[in-house]
Amino acid sequence: MKQLAIIVGLVCFTAFGGENERMATFQQVWETIRDKHWDLTGTGVDWDKVYQTYKPKVAAADSNTELRKLLKEMLGELGQSHFGIIGSESSKALSELSTVFPGGRGVPGFELALVEDRVFIVKIDLESDAGRKGLGIGTEILEAEDKDAEWMVTRIKEAYKDNKNREMYQKQTLNELFGGSVGSKLSLKVRTDDKERDLDIKLGEPRAVPKQVFGLSMNYEYKSRVLDGNLGYISFNVFLADVGRDFQKDLSTHLKETEGLIIDLRGNPGGLAIMANNVAGRLVSETGKSLGSMTNQGGTMKFPVFPQPGNYKKPVALLIDGGSASTSEILAQGLQDLGRVRLFGTNSAGAALPSVVVDLPNGDQFQYAVADYVSTNGHHLEGIGVAPDEKTPHTLESMARGEDAALEAAKAWIKKKAGAKSESM
Amino acid sequence: MKVCKLLWLLLACTFASAQNADEIMDKWSKAMGVDAAAKVKTIYMKGSMTMPMGAATNETFIKEGGKVLVHNKIANMMEQTMGCDGTDCYSNDPMGVRLLGGQEKESLLMQNDPSSQLDWRKMYSKVEYKGEVNLDGRKVHHVYMETEAGMITDSYIDAQTFLMVKQRIVAETPMGTVPMEITYKEFGETEGFKYPKTMTASMMNMQIETVVESFEINVPIPDSKFDLPAGLK
């Protein structure tokens, strides 16, 4: 909920859209691109001419809605999908949500996702109060704190409707709603196996380890286990230096002799970019490879892969979704280009770049990237995301079966690969 | 005859340019205390680094014979160790552990061992004087230098003090061709040997300021300090 509060804080200006404000807003957006774009000349767009074209149109605009349309059109001239104007209406929806769900560090023990605009549990901690009370993958949340799911979903969708990375923020916000004080109760109405019931669940201590990175407090959660069929499974919620240590330990101990490895990057918003190189170095054996390159105004830098001693050589599946962003995307796209992994799930967030969000004079916000990432096969990810090799979203059918569609598909693929290998031996 | 004259002129120019560059580099070397450097067997430096993502600490151990150990640590976030055992150099950072070669190896030695640069004739295979220029209101000598492995450095040396003001370095690394600019703001001195005390490195639009807080020479450092990491031995 902390993030909600920050976003609300950032957009809490009221838009009363005077003519001067609209012109100042236009000016700021145009100047930001002129001054901050990593390679404006390379776009082939005459940005001064763009200014002359749009200035009279903005002067004639008589509402913020019209201004937004013009700004989006102007940014569209760049032919790149790295920029977004976020309408100030989003703050109202987030404020309403934070009034009912004040948030806190306590966790419900499950992870939620929107499936066809309905709210379902897609991951469960069986040792949590929710897990012990029989909630599991496929349980639908019908109400929370006497607010029905539709009320929540409508506001979450409204809040991020203009956001380029809406799927990522929607998922993060949805899950943050269910946090609260540790030990407090959360009242729910749920449906499992077509049976509805009301229950209270007790919010638990987060299993994550508190960390300070770039002066920000964050929780690091890393899990690994061996699944049925001797398949390794690793998930972590953020790319910190600890990931390298934990990977190394696991790949040299209980995951070493597994038939294949599933790395779950769903909901992982990124972190230290350099850790993509680290993880790749534990999976790739060939030297001289890279995960792509990043360009900003200061130059271009590759993401080299340095194969590490004792690295993992069996099949590797990565799970991604709209919550996988930044470093997760660089790793996923980079390894996909190298042919080292197979990707399952849904399109990633398309938020691979360091970006900045600034307030605009009319109360809107402008999100712009300050660098460009290109994979070795030439994929630009911003606003597009990484496409899985096998699109396996959560569906109403998979929820009804209580299954994690992407995980099941990844397991099947690895088993097939392992089977094919043993047959050929 | 015209061709001969041109060749002679060209040779004469090259000679004059080389003379000038040698002279300036020797003056720089002297200003930094090359005579005192001859008595330096070991160096221990401790400092701090300020960068956009926070602060870091730095420790550097140097021993004659090309032995270097650099340890950078961003608290609660990441660590990097780079070193040379006199023959091989390595980096152990969040990208993994690996041996360094070519320009990366040269760069590690040059940027961390202030005494090594003073023997510039060994360090650079090509040195050219580019002339006197005005840099931020100061008159400086612009010297172009190239190493055996091809690392290019444009050095700007103060015309009065002969101390280094700025270096623009273009090095080939596994990360690509990375241009870097180092601005030297302040020099410290220990027993007649000067070292850069405050410097700012700019790379990829990011600035890192390093401040050397302590600088000791000829402190005992065991050779084992410079051993390669286990995985690389």
Side-chain angles (χ1 to χ4, degrees):
Chain A
M1 216 57 189
K2 190 182 284 176
Q3 192 183 18
L4 264 185
I6 292 167
I7 292 168
V8 171
L10 284 171
V11 294
C12 65
F13 298 101
T14 309
F16 50 90
E19 191 183 335
N20 288 341
E21 274 178 359
R22 284 196 286 274
M23 190 49 75
T25 298
F26 160 73
Q27 192 74 27
Q28 186 175 330
V29 171
W30 182 85
E31 284 176 5
T32 301
I33 296 295
R34 181 195 63 189
D35 299 337
K36 307 286 185 186
H37 194 284
W38 58 92
D39 184 19
L40 192 53
T41 315
T43 64
V45 176
D46 183 342
W47 198 239
D48 290 327
K49 195 176 166 193
V50 166
Y51 180 85
Q52 296 307 329
T53 305
Y54 283 88
K55 192 179 175 186
K57 291 182 183 179
V58 170
D62 57 9
S63 69
N64 272 343
T65 308
E66 208 174 325
L67 171 69
R68 258 172 238 145
K69 194 171 158 251
L70 284 168
L71 291 177
K72 285 175 184 175
E73 202 179 303
M74 179 176 83
L75 293 167
E77 300 271 357
L78 292 166
Q80 293 169 326
S81 49
H82 305 62
F83 313 99
I85 303 293
I86 302 164
S88 55
E89 291 85 354
S90 62
S91 64
K92 186 170 172 277
L94 291 172
S95 295
E96 285 176 7
L97 286 167
S98 60
T99 305
V100 178
F101 299 98
R105 55 185 292 276
V107 293
F110 53 69
E111 187 182 309
L112 300 166
L114 291 180
V115 181
E116 296 189 23
D117 290 349
R118 289 159 62 180
V119 180
F120 285 92
I121 292 176
V122 292
K123 279 186 190 172
I124 185 81
D125 177 353
L126 293 171
E127 290 170 19
S128 67
D129 191 38
R132 283 194 298 269
K133 286 177 174 164
L135 304 194
I137 296 175
T139 296
E140 183 174 5
I141 306 291
L142 303 171
E143 285 179 16
E145 301 295 89
D146 294 327
K147 288 287 181 188
D148 64 38
E150 192 185 345
W151 183 88
M152 292 178 249
V153 173
T154 305
R155 274 150 192 81
I156 289 170
K157 292 186 82 170
E158 169 66 21
Y160 299 110
K161 69 175 194 283
D162 294 326
N163 199 299
K164 289 278 178 200
N165 311 121
R166 67 181 71 87
E167 204 183 326
M168 176 176 74
Y169 288 118
Q170 282 172 1
K171 190 175 178 185
Q172 283 176 2
T173 301
L174 175 65
N175 281 283
E176 284 167 3
L177 294 182
F178 289 77
S181 307
V182 174
S184 65
K185 302 257 171 148
L186 180 72
S187 65
L188 298 174
K189 182 175 193 174
V190 301
R191 179 162 46 214
T192 312
D193 297 331
D194 289 332
K195 286 178 195 155
E196 291 184 11
R197 62 174 166 142
D198 294 297
L199 77 161
D200 286 340
I201 58 161
K202 194 175 167 187
L203 299 179
E205 280 281 352
R207 285 177 181 265
V209 181
K211 295 274 175 184
Q212 283 280 326
V213 179
F214 298 141
L216 299 170
S217 298
M218 53 179 70
N219 291 319
Y220 171 67
E221 189 168 7
Y222 175 98
K223 293 179 201 161
S224 72
R225 63 181 190 273
V226 179
L227 306 173
D228 289 345
N230 194 25
L231 304 180
Y233 174 87
I234 293 176
S235 74
F236 49 96
N237 65 337
V238 62
F239 281 83
L240 300 182
D242 308 64
V243 169
R245 178 202 61 206
D246 292 340
F247 248 76
Q248 186 180 19
K249 182 169 159 258
D250 287 349
L251 293 183
S252 60
T253 55
H254 68 291
L255 300 184
K256 189 178 178 182
E257 301 301 334
T258 49
E259 292 298 325
L261 183 63
I262 297 168
I263 303 173
D264 193 346
L265 298 175
R266 291 176 296 178
N268 186 321
L272 299 175
I274 202 168
M275 295 315 296
N277 310 50
N278 183 301
V279 173
R282 300 179 192 286
L283 306 173
V284 173
S285 303
E286 288 176 84
T287 55
K289 301 294 179 188
S290 96
L291 298 176
S293 61
M294 184 81 86
T295 300
N296 70 11
Q297 287 182 332
T300 299
M301 193 176 270
K302 282 189 205 163
F303 288 90
V305 178
F306 301 113
Q308 294 301 294
N311 57 13
Y312 194 79
K313 293 182 175 61
K314 301 276 182 61
V316 179
L318 296 191
L319 311 186
I320 54 170
D321 69 1
S324 311
S326 192
T327 309
S328 290
E329 296 184 283
I330 290 168
L331 179 67
Q333 186 66 70
L335 290 176
Q336 188 189 45
D337 280 9
L338 294 176
R340 178 62 185 99
V341 297
R342 190 161 178 84
L343 304 181
F344 297 84
T346 56
N347 258 53
S348 68
L353 308 181
S355 69
V356 177
V357 179
V358 293
D359 295 327
L360 294 170
N362 71 338
D364 287 356
Q365 289 186 302
F366 178 33
Q367 183 177 15
Y368 63 94
V370 291
D372 192 23
Y373 164 79
V374 189
S375 75
T376 48
N377 286 356
H379 292 104
H380 293 259
L381 299 181
E382 201 62 18
I384 300 165
V386 184
D389 296 295
E390 282 187 40
K391 199 163 187 177
T392 44
H394 296 298
T395 61
L396 295 179
E397 291 75 28
S398 67
M399 290 293 100
R401 291 194 300 271
E403 276 183 7
D404 179 339
L407 180 64
E408 293 305 318
K411 282 157 73 174
W413 173 72
I414 292 177
K415 282 176 189 166
K416 198 174 163 191
K417 291 276 283 184
K421 200 181 170 193
S422 61
E423 275 173 26
S424 67
M425 281 169 75
Chain B
M1 191 62 183
K2 264 185 184 174
V3 174
C4 282
K5 206 170 182 178
L6 197 64
L7 270 175
W8 183 85
L9 269 172
L10 203 63
L11 281 170
C13 287
T14 310
F15 183 67
S17 165
Q19 277 286 82
N20 237 331
D22 277 18
E23 200 179 298
I24 285 155
M25 290 302 288
D26 282 339
K27 284 184 179 171
W28 163 73
S29 183
K30 194 169 169 54
M32 290 295 288
V34 67
D35 299 331
K39 295 170 203 151
V40 175
K41 306 295 176 199
T42 67
I43 298 173
Y44 170 69
M45 287 186 278
K46 195 172 177 183
S48 59
M49 298 160 89
T50 312
M51 54 192 83
M53 67 281 274
T57 54
N58 161 268
E59 268 193 306
T60 305
F61 301 84
I62 296 157
K63 194 167 185 176
E64 61 180 348
K67 297 185 179 74
V68 174
L69 178 74
V70 183
H71 184 228
N72 299 323
K73 184 175 181 180
I74 305 177
N76 303 319
M77 199 153 82
M78 63 169 85
E79 291 183 44
Q80 176 188 41
T81 306
M82 295 176 293
C84 298
D85 65 357
T87 309
D88 295 313
C89 296
Y90 70 93
S91 178
N92 189 0
D93 56 41
M95 287 194 285
V97 59
R98 64 199 167 99
L99 284 171
L100 301 179
Q103 294 182 23
E104 263 200 305
K105 185 176 175 181
E106 278 182 341
S107 175
L108 171 63
L109 286 165
M110 286 169 61
Q111 285 176 33
N112 293 290
D113 181 357
S115 62
S116 70
Q117 280 205 56
L118 300 183
D119 198 359
W120 63 268
R121 284 182 177 83
K122 269 190 190 166
M123 194 65 74
Y124 298 104
S125 57
K126 185 178 178 184
V127 177
E128 278 178 18
Y129 183 58
K130 294 288 187 182
E132 192 177 275
V133 295
N134 194 304
L135 186 75
D136 304 327
R138 288 163 88 163
K139 278 188 179 173
V140 295
H141 295 295
H142 177 191
V143 182
Y144 171 92
M145 301 179 286
E146 249 181 66
T147 61
E148 281 294 337
M151 185 165 70
I152 293 167
T153 304
D154 282 288
S155 291
Y156 298 88
I157 297 165
D158 189 286
Q160 282 194 323
T161 63
F162 285 91
L163 294 174
M164 194 67 75
V165 176
K166 194 178 287 252
Q167 284 186 306
R168 292 196 175 106
I169 301 166
V170 181
E172 289 291 336
T173 73
M175 279 70 80
T177 306
V178 183
M180 181 164 67
E181 187 173 285
I182 303 174
T183 305
Y184 299 90
K185 293 178 179 170
E186 191 189 354
F187 289 86
E189 187 173 334
T190 297
E191 295 180 32
F193 179 63
K194 284 200 177 67
Y195 59 93
K197 196 172 178 185
T198 308
M199 58 196 143
T200 305
S202 301
M203 191 171 65
M204 288 292 288
N205 244 11
M206 194 172 78
Q207 289 202 327
I208 300 173
E209 182 170 90
T210 304
V211 177
V212 177
E213 287 155 358
S214 71
F215 186 97
E216 297 171 53
I217 58 173
N218 295 334
V219 290
I221 305 174
D223 278 347
S224 58
K225 189 91 188 163
F226 306 97
D227 285 350
L228 297 182
L232 295 177
K233 275 181 185 171

